[in-house]
Amino acid sequence: MATTPAAAPHPNNFLEPEAHLVARLKAAFAGRKPAVHVLTAADLAGIKEEHQPTPAVHVVWNGYRVLESRADGRAARLDHTWLAVATVKNVRTLQSGAAARSEAGELAAQAGAALMGFRPPNVAGPLRLTRGPGAGHNAGFVYLPLAFLVETVFKAD
């Protein structure tokens, strides 16, 4: 029985880079002890904070902005923001948070090194580091986001 080849991704699919970012990070953290979980927003949906796997890097699409739009409205250049959020839980120095911050900083550095300049398919250029949101802290958890821009061209069918 013949199989039908998978359809090519639609060029306007905002979330198509996600799987490539996840694969790139999983490869970068392969064999690391303890294992680093690479999770998407869908993976985290409905999981309570205290039950989330750590250490982890969360890959999250964080919107887009229009760089340029053609006068006829049929094409536009967009910059999409992707977050790679280093996520750790470390209660060793809970009051100061120093151990968790140190661990999150190291994890973010490794994730950033893996993604800087990476070019997933279906985009118009490499990932570029940009200003991101601030870090979050809660009961031994630290969330340290790195933000990356990647350009796409959005076209009418």
Side-chain angles (χ1 to χ4, degrees), residues 79-80 115-120 123-129 148-151:
D79 246 352
H80 296 262
L115 293 178
M116 289 179 72
F118 174 60
R119 183 176 179 174
V123 299
L127 290 168
R128 305 172 331 269
L129 191 63
F148 293 90
L149 295 174
V150 67
E151 187 176 323

Side-chain angles (χ1 to χ4, degrees), residues 35-128:
V36 174
H37 305 272
V38 180
L39 306 169
T40 66
D43 297 327
L44 295 165
I47 294 179
K48 292 183 180 184
E49 183 178 46
E50 63 270 14
H51 297 297
Q52 69 178 308
T54 60
V57 176
H58 302 166
V59 176
V60 181
W61 181 74
N62 197 43
Y64 70 95
R65 68 184 177 101
V66 177
L67 297 172
E68 178 183 17
S69 187
R70 271 189 6 197
D72 67 4
R74 303 221 10 109
R77 289 178 39 244
L78 309 176
D79 246 352
H80 296 262
T81 303
W82 285 91
L83 301 178
V85 185
T87 305
V88 301
K89 181 179 183 182
N90 189 323
V91 295
R92 227 173 344 144
T93 56
L94 186 58
Q95 189 167 354
S96 72
R101 285 194 317 276
S102 176
E103 192 177 337
E106 190 61 35
L107 188 59
Q110 293 171 345
L115 293 178
M116 289 179 72
F118 174 60
R119 183 176 179 174
N122 203 37
V123 299
L127 290 168
R128 305 172 331 269

